[in-house]
Amino acid sequence: MTEPNDLERHFEHTLEKDQRLEPRDWLPDGYRKTMIRQIAQHAHSEIIGMQPEGNWITRAPSLRRKAILLAKVQDEAGHGLYLYSAAETLGADRTDLTERLISGRQKYSSIFNYPTLTFADVGVIGWLVDGAAICNQVPLCRSSYGPYARAMIRICKEESFHQRQGYELLMTMMRGTPEQREMVQEATDRYWWPSLMMFGPPDGDSPNTEQSMAWKIKRHTNDELRQRFVDMTVPQAEALGVTLPDPELAWNPERGHYDFGEIDWGEFKEVLRGNGPCNTQRVECRRRAHEDGAWVREAATAHAAKHTTREAAA
Ligand code: FAQ
C-alpha cells in the first residue's frame, strides 16, 4: 500500500477534525462522485417536487391559501437552484444534470411520483413530506462538504415554514366539516407509507450508507432517521385527530421508540424503476418545461456575450 500524500492527509484530517471540505480542497474521486450524486438527486427532487403541489395553485380555495402555496412552490425552485450551484462547485455541469434527469439516468425522490388528488394533499405534503425532509436534512447541515452543508441551513429554515403551513392547513380542515376531516384522513392514508420510503432502503439494503457515513456526508443511517420521523409524527397525528394507517404502530417502552409495520419495499423498488403512478408524467412535464425554456437560456447567453463584447471594447 502506498503512503497517503499531503492532499490525502489533509482530506482525512479535515474529516477527523469535523471541519468542512471546500471546493478548493483535493477530494477523492469516490467522494466527489457520491456528493454530486446526492446533491443532484436532491436538487432534482426539489424541482420535480414543485409539480404535485403546483397542481393546486390555480384551484386553491382562497387567496390566502393560494399566496401561501405559491410562496412554498417558489421556495422549492430556490432550493433546487442552490443545490445545482453546490453541485457545480464539484465540477458538475447543470445542463448535463438536467439531461440526466429528463432522460431517466438520475433519480429524484420517490415521493413525488404520487398524485395530489385533493387539496388536503397540500396539507399532508407539508406535514409529512416536509416533515420527513426536515428530519433527513437537519443532520445534513453538518455534512462534510461545505457548500452543501451551508445550503442545507437555509433550506431547512424554509422547510420548517413549509411543514408548519401544512400542519396549520390540516388543523383548519380538521375543525371544518365531516367531509373535510375525511379528506385529511384519506390523504394521510395515501401519503403515510410513501413518506416512510423517502428515507431510502433499509440499512441492510443501502449500498451507499456505510461509505457516506465514513465520509461524514451522512450523519445517520436511513433506518435511524425513519425511526426518528415516526417517533416525532405519532404525537402530531394524535393532536391532529387522524389515524396513521398502520395497525402495528405501538409504543415500545423497552426500545423507547414506536414500533411500526413492514414497509412495502416492492412498491418502493417499482417507483424507483419508473413504474410509480406519476413517474412518466413528472419527467415528461420537466422535459417540456426545459424545452420551452430554451429561448430564455439562449437570450440570457446572447445578452451575456453582448455584455462581454461591450466591456472588452470599452
Ligand atoms: N427516492 O444507498 P442508499 C425534498 C436511491 S426532500 C428515490 O440508501 P443514499 C423537499 C439512492 O439515491 C426529498 N431514490 O442511498 C421537498 C441510491 O441511488 P443510486 C429529497 C432513492 O444516497 C418537500 C439508491 O436508492 N431529499 O425534496 C430514495 O445513501 C416537499 C440506494 O439508496 C434528499 O435528496 C428515494 N426515497 O441515501 C420538496 C435528501 N432513497 O446509488 C418539495 C438528501 C434512496 O442507485 C415538496 N439525500 N434512493 O444512484 C439523502 O439524504 C440520501 O441520498 C437518501 C438516500 C437518504 C435519500
Side-chain angles (χ1 to χ4, degrees), residues 108-309:
Y108 58 90
S109 182
S110 50
I111 192 73
F112 303 117
N113 292 306
Y114 292 86
T116 42
L117 304 179
T118 73
F119 196 71
D121 291 14
V122 170
V124 166
I125 288 177
W127 174 38
L128 297 180
V129 176
D130 284 286
I134 293 167
C135 217
N136 165 262
Q137 287 167 32
V138 166
L140 293 175
C141 297
R142 292 186 297 116
S143 186
S144 55
Y145 189 58
Y148 187 48
R150 289 189 289 274
M152 218 41 69
I153 294 171
R154 174 148 179 196
I155 291 177
C156 283
K157 283 187 183 158
E158 293 180 350
E159 301 286 25
S160 300
F161 155 71
H162 295 174
Q163 199 268 354
R164 284 175 154 256
Q165 72 79 36
Y167 199 69
E168 188 269 342
L169 166 56
L170 297 179
M171 276 290 190
T172 306
M173 290 185 78
M174 290 304 282
R175 285 193 298 266
T177 63
E179 287 80 7
Q180 285 174 309
R181 281 194 286 278
E182 235 167 73
M183 274 168 72
V184 175
Q185 182 61 58
E186 191 268 338
T188 305
D189 290 346
R190 278 184 288 110
Y191 270 92
W192 173 246
W193 292 105
S195 300
L196 296 188
M197 294 174 196
M198 284 176 72
F199 294 91
D203 293 349
D205 290 331
S206 164
N208 299 301
T209 293
E210 195 182 338
Q211 182 61 74
S212 288
M213 298 268 289
W215 278 330
K216 298 187 176 173
I217 292 173
K218 285 169 85 162
R219 296 292 184 150
H220 302 279
T221 71
N222 299 353
D223 286 332
E224 282 167 9
L225 292 173
R226 194 172 1 255
Q227 180 71 62
R228 189 180 284 186
F229 174 68
V230 171
D231 292 347
M232 183 181 99
T233 308
V234 172
Q236 294 172 357
E238 283 164 6
L240 200 55
V242 296
T243 308
L244 295 171
D246 179 1
E248 291 176 50
L249 198 59
W251 177 250
N252 182 330
E254 275 157 41
R255 291 202 311 122
H257 293 291
Y258 283 92
D259 289 336
F260 54 97
E262 185 59 30
I263 294 168
D264 182 352
W265 292 114
E267 175 181 320
F268 175 72
K269 283 183 189 145
E270 275 307 298
V271 175
L272 258 58
R273 267 192 217 114
N275 301 325
C278 299
N279 294 59
T280 309
Q281 177 188 333
R282 299 290 186 239
V283 174
E284 175 53 24
C285 177
R286 181 68 196 95
R287 195 182 58 73
R288 229 178 17 250
H290 184 63
E291 285 168 6
D292 289 350
W295 71 270
V296 180
R297 293 189 296 277
E298 281 161 23
T301 310
H303 180 71
K306 241 192 235 169
H307 238 323
T308 313
T309 317

